[in-house]
């Protein structure tokens, strides 16, 4: 008798094609069910964010940050003897527009705070995204005066030797990422960002700030390779691979509207800190009147690189509602459309 | 950079030089100078930078009418006096020099910039070379290779 169905396998235990397809379909359903179950039942990540009021840059910012460390459980034993690298947001300089960059006095506060907790060394390092002339940005931002006075070393990450590692994030097509070799010589990488809206990503905070660690001599200006690979994909890849240790966001005077360069100053009067960058950025978004779930890269980072849901972030210090200051969003900029927190 | 390299290597007539010059003029900011590429984002004109303006002026020197780059020269002349860094001052002086617009006292500016190593430590080799180059080639980098026969 001719079989109408091709046998898969041999002998009495062989399967017909129909049986095989049923089994295959069942397997797929079972596997996807397990996968969905794992996703659904995956424990929610939890983190903390500390919000402190700081009405201007002349206050005791180091004391405020030491208080933040205490609230966040960063004990002196954890910092003692560590080599700390602070990565500010130095984009460009423009006369009369200091709100483009992390304020130098916020960096001084962070330096003093880490030293008070016993850090062995603190250094500052940045590879500005737009300007090839890092020294000009370093000087004109006012940071050179502060760091020279404090005898703190500044490293230009744009013209620095790199080391290459596998891209753990795998969100972009980049198989590897090249970071500054300097990073092998430090214990903590701290993103000291600026609170700003952004015309491509909605908001730029501690996660986006890490674009600046990618050396210009490998990635171009303004980090062309990363822009080509997708800004949001690259933000996620960099953070997933680098695994930064801490975030401090300068929200004393931020930038609203057409950030990260051409926007207007926005006085908020806060500093936001935390161990988890996604949680810190989500908190900043809420302070800015932005829904972090509508900022695409933060939504994609949720429960992977960190929590962004309000219920998953324990707020220390000031309540968000007490400091919320809606940032101006521009209707004609797609990344800023429909992201207002309601 | 590619345009400069081709011109320095005797390929001034190459099609890619013409393409490069056309691209650079297209990316010149309406109010003068060059940024890092774009001229406007969401309708807002970007800021010029001395280093990119100097490099672009150097690249197009002698290949386009002066009137087409006059605003950029004006911007750079105003800016170069306060530029103190090897990259900004070096490219600024080269770009202006290529158009015969190098300011009086260029040498003093360079020496002041050299003196700032006391504050920042020694400049790396490429930055130092760029800063010193306008002393050797006050009329721009094409002067350095102008003996090279056309290929």
């Amino acid at each position: 008798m001719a079989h109408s169905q091709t046998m898969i396998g041999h002998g009495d235990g062989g399967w017909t094609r129909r049986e095989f397809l049923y089994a295959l379909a069942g397997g797929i359903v079972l596997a996807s069910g397990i996968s969905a179950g794992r996703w659904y039942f995956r424990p929610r990540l939890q983190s903390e964010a500390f919000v402190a009021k700081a009405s201007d840059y002349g206050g005791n910012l180091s004391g405020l940050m030491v208080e933040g460390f205490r609230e966040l459980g960063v004990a002196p034993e954890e910092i003692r003897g560590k080599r700390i690298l602070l990565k500010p947001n130095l984009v460009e300089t423009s006369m009369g527009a200091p709100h483009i960059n992390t304020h130098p006095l916020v960096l001084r506060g962070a330096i003093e705070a880490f030293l008070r907790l016993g850090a062995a060394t603190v250094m500052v390092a940045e590879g500005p995204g737009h300007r090839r002339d890092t020294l000009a940005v370093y000087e004109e931002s006012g940071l050179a005066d502060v760091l020279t006075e404090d005898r703190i070393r500044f490293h230009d990450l744009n013209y620095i030797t790199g080391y290459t590692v596998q891209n753990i994030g795998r969100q972009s097509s980049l198989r590897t990422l090249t970071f500054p070799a300097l990073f092998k010589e430090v214990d903590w990488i701290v993103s000291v960002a600026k609170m700003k809206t952004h015309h491509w990503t909605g908001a730029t905070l501690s996660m986006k700030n890490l674009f600046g660690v990618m050396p210009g001599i490998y990635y171009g200006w303004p980090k062309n390779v990363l822009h080509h690979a997708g800004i949001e994909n690259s933000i996620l890849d960099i953070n997933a691979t680098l695994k930064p240790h801490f975030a401090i966001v300068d929200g004393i005077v931020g930038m609203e509207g057409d950030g990260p360069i051409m926007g207007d100053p926005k006085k908020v009067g806060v500093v936001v800190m935390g161990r988890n960058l996604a949680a810190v950025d989500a908190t900043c978004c809420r302070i800015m009147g932005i829904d972090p779930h509508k900022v695409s890269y933060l939504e994609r980072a949720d429960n992977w690189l960190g929590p962004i849901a309000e219920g998953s972030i324990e707020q220390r210090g000031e309540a968000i509602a007490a400091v919320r200051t809606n940032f101006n969003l521009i209707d004609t900029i797609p990344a800023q459309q429909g992201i207002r927190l309601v | 950079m590619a345009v400069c390299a081709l011109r320095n290597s005797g390929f001034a007539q190459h099609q890619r030089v013409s393409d490069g010059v056309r691209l650079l003029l297209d990316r010149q900011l309406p109010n003068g100078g060059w940024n890092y590429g774009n001229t406007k984002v969401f309708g807002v004109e970007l800021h010029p930078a001395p280093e990119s303006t100097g490099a672009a002026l150097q690249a197009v020197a002698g290949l386009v009418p002066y009137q087409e780059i006059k605003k950029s020269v004006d911007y750079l002349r105003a800016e170069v006096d306060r530029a103190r860094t090897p990259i900004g001052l070096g490219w600024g002086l080269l770009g202006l020099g290529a158009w015969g617009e190098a300011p009086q006292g260029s040498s003093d500016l360079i020496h002041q910039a050299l003196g700032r190593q006391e504050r920042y430590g020694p400049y790396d080799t490429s930055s130092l070379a760029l800063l010193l180059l306008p002393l050797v080639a006050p009329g721009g980098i094409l002067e350095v290779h102008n003996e090279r026969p056309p290929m």
Side-chain angles (χ1 to χ4, degrees):
Chain A
M1 186 177 80
H3 286 281
S4 60
Q5 295 165 336
T6 305
M7 302 295 285
I8 308 292
H10 301 281
D12 293 341
W15 286 11
T16 65
R17 171 183 283 182
R18 179 169 294 171
E19 287 168 339
F20 175 76
L21 291 175
Y22 282 155
L24 183 65
I28 290 171
V29 168
L30 183 63
S32 59
I34 290 169
S35 176
R38 278 185 183 152
W39 177 83
Y40 185 79
F41 294 110
R42 189 178 181 179
R44 295 294 304 174
L45 295 176
Q46 299 284 326
S47 194
E48 303 85 30
F50 173 74
V51 180
K53 282 185 179 173
S55 58
D56 58 50
Y57 291 103
N60 179 12
L61 296 179
S62 65
L64 173 156
M65 289 181 202
V66 168
E67 171 66 16
F69 288 148
R70 188 160 42 240
E71 288 284 340
L72 294 163
V74 180
E77 299 76 46
E78 190 176 355
I79 300 299
R80 192 169 297 132
K82 292 285 198 316
R83 299 160 297 181
I84 310 292
L85 184 143
L86 306 180
K87 194 285 179 193
N89 185 219
L90 296 185
V91 186
E92 279 191 15
T93 55
S94 178
M95 300 301 285
H99 55 292
I100 293 176
N101 303 311
T102 305
H103 198 285
L105 295 180
V106 170
L107 283 155
R108 172 175 277 167
I111 292 163
E112 290 177 2
F114 276 109
L115 290 174
R116 280 169 64 179
L117 263 65
T121 57
V122 182
M123 63 190 84
V124 178
E126 166 67 307
H130 298 163
R131 294 286 301 272
R132 287 172 171 76
D133 193 351
T134 305
L135 182 55
V137 182
Y138 177 49
E139 279 203 317
E140 292 168 13
S141 65
L143 185 58
D145 287 338
V146 168
L147 297 191
T148 302
E149 191 177 321
D150 293 353
R151 298 176 180 274
I152 295 294
R153 183 134 187 228
F154 178 82
H155 296 269
D156 180 354
L157 298 181
N158 272 336
Y159 299 92
I160 200 166
T161 303
Y163 71 99
T164 300
V165 295
Q166 290 296 313
N167 173 8
I168 293 173
R170 303 305 295 267
Q171 300 299 298
S172 73
S173 59
L174 300 173
R175 288 181 167 276
T176 61
L177 295 173
T178 299
F179 294 111
L182 174 69
F183 286 6
K184 290 182 172 179
E185 300 168 17
V186 301
D187 300 303
W188 265 36
I189 295 169
V190 181
S191 178
V192 190
K194 192 76 170 174
M195 187 179 282
K196 297 192 283 191
T197 49
H198 194 287
H199 54 215
W200 299 125
T201 60
T204 171
L205 298 154
S206 69
M207 289 177 66
K208 170 70 174 67
N209 181 39
L210 294 180
F211 249 55
V213 307
M214 310 306 278
I217 55 171
Y218 297 96
Y219 289 94
W221 285 262
K223 318 286 182 186
N224 300 322
V225 175
L226 302 177
H227 281 82
H228 190 257
I231 297 176
E232 295 180 346
N233 292 336
S234 298
I235 293 170
L236 297 167
D237 284 347
I238 292 166
N239 280 270
T241 307
L242 187 61
K243 298 182 174 63
H245 301 82
F246 203 81
I248 300 171
V249 179
D250 168 10
I252 296 174
V253 178
M255 177 184 283
E256 65 179 3
D258 188 11
I261 297 168
M262 310 303 280
D264 301 314
K266 181 72 170 180
K267 186 171 171 49
V268 187
V270 295
V271 172
V272 185
M273 304 165 60
R275 290 178 187 267
N276 184 277
L277 277 65
V280 167
D281 289 0
T283 299
C284 289
C285 280
R286 293 188 172 93
I287 291 170
M288 299 160 78
I290 292 172
D291 184 347
H293 290 285
K294 293 177 179 168
V295 175
S296 175
Y297 71 89
L298 285 176
E299 174 64 13
R300 289 168 63 188
D302 187 23
N303 216 33
W304 167 38
L305 300 178
I308 71 164
E310 196 164 9
S312 300
I313 304 170
E314 188 177 327
Q315 300 295 337
R316 307 278 174 89
E318 303 293 336
I320 290 173
V323 294
R324 177 172 168 176
T325 308
N326 282 2
F327 277 47
N328 181 34
L329 303 171
I330 297 179
D331 292 341
T332 53
I333 294 179
Q336 297 185 11
Q337 292 170 351
I339 64 173
R340 175 69 72 209
L341 183 66
V342 291
Chain B
M1 293 286 199
V3 170
C4 290
L6 284 169
R7 294 182 69 184
N8 276 346
S9 306
F11 290 97
Q13 307 305 318
H14 197 282
Q15 178 62 37
R16 298 300 288 168
V17 171
S18 307
D19 293 344
V21 169
R22 194 163 55 249
L23 174 71
L24 287 170
L25 290 181
D26 180 63
R27 301 302 171 92
Q28 186 178 208
L29 297 167
N31 286 312
W34 275 265
N35 189 267
Y36 51 85
N38 293 337
T39 53
K40 293 182 178 179
V41 175
F42 292 111
V44 179
E45 186 174 332
L46 301 177
H47 298 134
E51 64 273 19
S52 44
T53 301
L57 283 175
Q58 170 66 78
V60 304
L63 299 180
V64 301
Y66 180 78
Q67 207 54 35
E68 289 201 37
I69 49 81
K70 182 178 182 308
K71 282 184 184 175
S72 294
V73 169
D74 291 344
Y75 156 75
L76 197 51
R77 287 180 66 177
E79 196 69 19
V80 81
D81 277 342
R82 68 181 201 93
R84 296 288 181 273
T85 61
I87 295 177
L89 184 60
W91 275 119
L93 291 176
L94 289 170
L96 289 174
W99 286 91
E101 297 276 359
Q104 296 285 326
S106 295
S107 174
D108 291 342
L109 292 173
I110 292 169
H111 281 94
Q112 285 172 25
L114 285 170
R116 288 150 48 81
Q117 292 176 99
E118 287 181 16
R119 183 181 198 197
Y120 296 117
Y123 296 143
D124 63 81
T125 307
S126 61
S127 295
L128 186 61
L130 181 58
L131 178 60
L132 295 176
L133 196 51
L135 290 175
V136 182
I141 54 177
L142 293 177
E143 280 189 352
V144 178
H145 296 282
N146 63 3
E147 310 87 352
R148 187 183 290 272
M151 298 177 73

